[in-house]
Amino acid sequence: TKTAIADGGAVVLDNTISNSFEANYDLSDLVGGFDMVIGGSYREYVLRSNGTLFTDYDGPIKTNETGIFASVQKDIFDGAISLNGALRYDKAQNYEGSFTPRIGALIDIAPNHNLRVSYQTAMRAPTMQDQYIGLDGGRAILFGSSPDSVERFIYEHNTFNGSYTVTGDMVMNNSYLAVPFQLGSAEVANLDNVEPEYVQSREVGYRYNGKRLSVDINAYWAKYQNFIASKVVFVPFYGSVANGSALAAMGAGDYEIYSVDNNTDEVVRTMGLDVGLDAKIFGKFDFGAKFAYNDMDRSNIDPSYETSFNTPKVRGRLSLGSTEIGDNIGFNVSASYHNAFLYESGFADGIIPANWIFNASMSFDVPELQSVIKVGAVNLTGDDYMSIPVTGMIGSQYYIKFTLNP
């Protein structure tokens, strides 16, 4: 089809480009007592979708982001402690600039044992989609909420009851929160333009490096302010939410669902733990184990927001392999697991079921041909699984690979 999505077709004419420039300079030879690196980056975006994806109805949208940084590192106590710090300044064209510092330390607590700690801050500017998208995602109209995009936005809705035009101002100032409305409460949305997101994180890690065993443990705690998320609202085609006259449109079904890129008023907290272990067993087998725990505290987040955290709370992986089980023969088997979790996006929400995936392979060296033959299977059990809602299921792959090394 050659018909754009806004006109009922499926075409997205996206010829967007980005131009990037980065430069770093090591000043360590010019300063005494510590290592220092400075740098900067510049990125320009030129959005060209002819109104099929972004609100560039009348021509390309140009915007840019700039960042500069300085980092220092110094060893003390004969290298037993390595201190590092950095300061970064970021400025996006549509937003005020922001300074974000970082400090950290790597501490040797014993031979082959080290501890690392850090405190970091960061600013994340809204993406181009957060600012400028204007797309029918099926379940909702995806709506970027930068001020200039809101001013340009216009969408024609053709219904059984007639044709209606929705403007950006209607979405921002004349809409109801979807979740409360579904529960019987007509709460006015009162939306604001999307702004940068800020995070503060603390990390603690430990690592042991032995001849036959290595262990790595890392934990983090993060606090987000102005967390960027999508707020789902109902936009009536006529009437006013201020005086309640828009309820007539809602009752008649004359409204549309919009997913508006926005910021949470509440502080959002996440935390996680990663544990990794690698070991040599019986002198010839390589064993690996990884475990990850990640969680977002949703207890104080407005339920009208979709955070798109999209991360399993529990993930794990076990592997066993060897290249020494016989002359020119090797093998590897692995098992991966994640628990069930909520996946959110502008196109679909859904629960991704818990899943185990088993992989296996064997390799055979053929010295006479200077080659390797490898046979294996991905998702050995053949049980199809899902990674994203309403997409195709992922099956198994069985393969034979021949590699020639002349």
Side-chain angles (χ1 to χ4, degrees):
T1 179
K2 297 182 179 181
T3 306
I5 290 178
D7 298 324
V11 170
V12 172
L13 304 172
D14 189 13
N15 294 308
T16 293
I17 62 172
S18 65
N19 303 305
S20 301
F21 174 79
E22 295 183 7
N24 298 326
Y25 188 75
D26 192 336
L27 296 175
S28 302
D29 293 337
L30 303 178
V31 296
F34 56 89
D35 297 328
M36 184 174 186
V37 176
I38 61 173
S41 63
Y42 174 83
R43 176 170 292 178
E44 180 188 50
Y45 298 90
V46 183
L47 309 183
R48 292 194 184 107
S49 75
N50 296 322
T52 62
L53 177 62
F54 302 109
T55 57
D56 52 347
Y57 310 126
D58 302 321
I61 299 171
K62 294 184 179 181
T63 185
N64 61 72
E65 299 173 353
T66 304
I68 57 175
F69 76 91
S71 64
V72 296
Q73 186 266 327
K74 181 175 177 59
D75 294 335
I76 59 176
F77 300 119
D78 295 325
I81 299 178
S82 178
L83 303 175
N84 60 79
L87 181 65
R88 184 177 180 91
Y89 176 80
D90 290 282
K91 173 71 174 72
Q93 178 177 308
N94 294 336
Y95 305 102
E96 296 182 359
S98 176
F99 287 97
T100 51
R102 178 191 184 277
I103 56 173
L106 179 65
I107 306 167
D108 291 333
I109 54 179
N112 301 322
H113 298 261
N114 63 61
L115 180 71
R116 57 186 183 272
V117 294
S118 69
Y119 170 78
Q120 305 175 57
T121 62
M123 182 273 280
R124 182 171 76 92
T127 65
M128 295 302 101
Q129 291 193 17
D130 294 332
Q131 297 182 61
Y132 294 113
I133 195 168
L135 177 68
D136 187 349
R139 60 185 291 266
I141 307 297
L142 310 183
F143 181 86
S145 64
S146 68
D148 58 322
S149 188
V150 170
E151 184 177 346
R152 281 191 303 269
F153 182 85
I154 188 168
Y155 207 97
E156 297 290 336
H157 293 276
N158 297 309
T159 73
F160 291 113
N161 297 330
S163 179
Y164 301 95
T165 300
V166 171
T167 66
D169 181 70
M170 290 172 64
V171 177
M172 299 296 287
N173 301 308
N174 198 62
S175 57
Y176 294 109
L177 295 176
V179 172
F181 197 94
Q182 291 171 327
L183 297 175
S185 176
E187 294 186 21
V188 177
N190 291 324
L191 300 172
D192 294 317
N193 301 111
V194 66
E195 294 283 342
E197 170 185 291
Y198 299 92
V199 61
Q200 298 172 309
S201 67
R202 298 165 178 82
E203 295 188 23
V204 178
Y206 162 80
R207 185 170 182 84
Y208 168 72
N209 279 315
K211 292 183 178 180
R212 296 183 176 273
L213 176 69
S214 65
V215 178
D216 192 275
I217 303 172
N218 188 75
Y220 73 89
W221 300 263
K223 180 176 73 172
Y224 294 84
Q225 295 177 310
N226 266 18
F227 186 85
I228 297 175
S230 298
K231 178 171 278 191
V232 181
V233 299
F234 293 152
V235 181
F237 295 150
Y238 48 86
S240 169
V241 299
N243 61 23
S245 61
L247 292 175
M250 299 299 296
D254 290 338
Y255 68 93
E256 184 57 87
I257 305 172
Y258 276 72
S259 179
V260 181
D261 291 298
N262 213 243
N263 304 88
T264 63
D265 295 324
E266 304 84 4
V267 171
V268 175
R269 299 179 186 274
T270 62
M271 61 87 64
L273 174 70
D274 293 283
V275 180
L277 180 148
D278 293 291
K280 196 77 169 180
I281 302 175
F282 305 125
K284 62 173 62 177
F285 295 99
D286 298 311
F287 173 77
K290 296 183 183 298
F291 169 83
Y293 176 88
N294 294 277
D295 189 34
M296 171 181 283
D297 181 5
R298 298 174 180 265
S299 60
N300 69 332
I301 301 176
D302 184 337
S304 295
Y305 279 108
E306 291 188 338
T307 62
S308 298
F309 187 57
N310 298 346
T311 304
K313 184 172 287 189
V314 176
R315 289 180 294 176
R317 186 176 188 274
L318 299 173
S319 64
L320 181 68
S322 176
T323 57
E324 305 173 44
I325 60 173
D327 292 339
N328 304 319
I329 298 176
F331 82 97
N332 184 272
V333 293
S334 67
S336 302
Y337 168 82
H338 66 73
N339 71 318
F341 66 98
L342 173 65
Y343 190 102
E344 297 174 312
S345 74
F347 295 96
D349 297 343
I351 298 295
I352 304 299
N355 190 49
W356 281 96
I357 301 173
F358 298 92
N359 303 325
S361 67
M362 291 195 69
S363 60
F364 305 90
D365 290 342
V366 187
E368 296 81 3
L369 299 177
Q370 295 182 306
S371 61
V372 178
I373 299 174
K374 185 176 183 180
V375 296
V378 179
N379 191 19
L380 180 64
T381 61
D383 294 330
D384 294 351
Y385 64 95
M386 178 193 306
S387 62
I388 300 175
V390 303
T391 61
M393 301 292 284
I394 299 174
S396 301
Q397 182 182 57
Y398 305 91
Y399 61 89
I400 300 176
K401 180 180 179 182
F402 177 79
T403 304
L404 182 64
N405 297 304

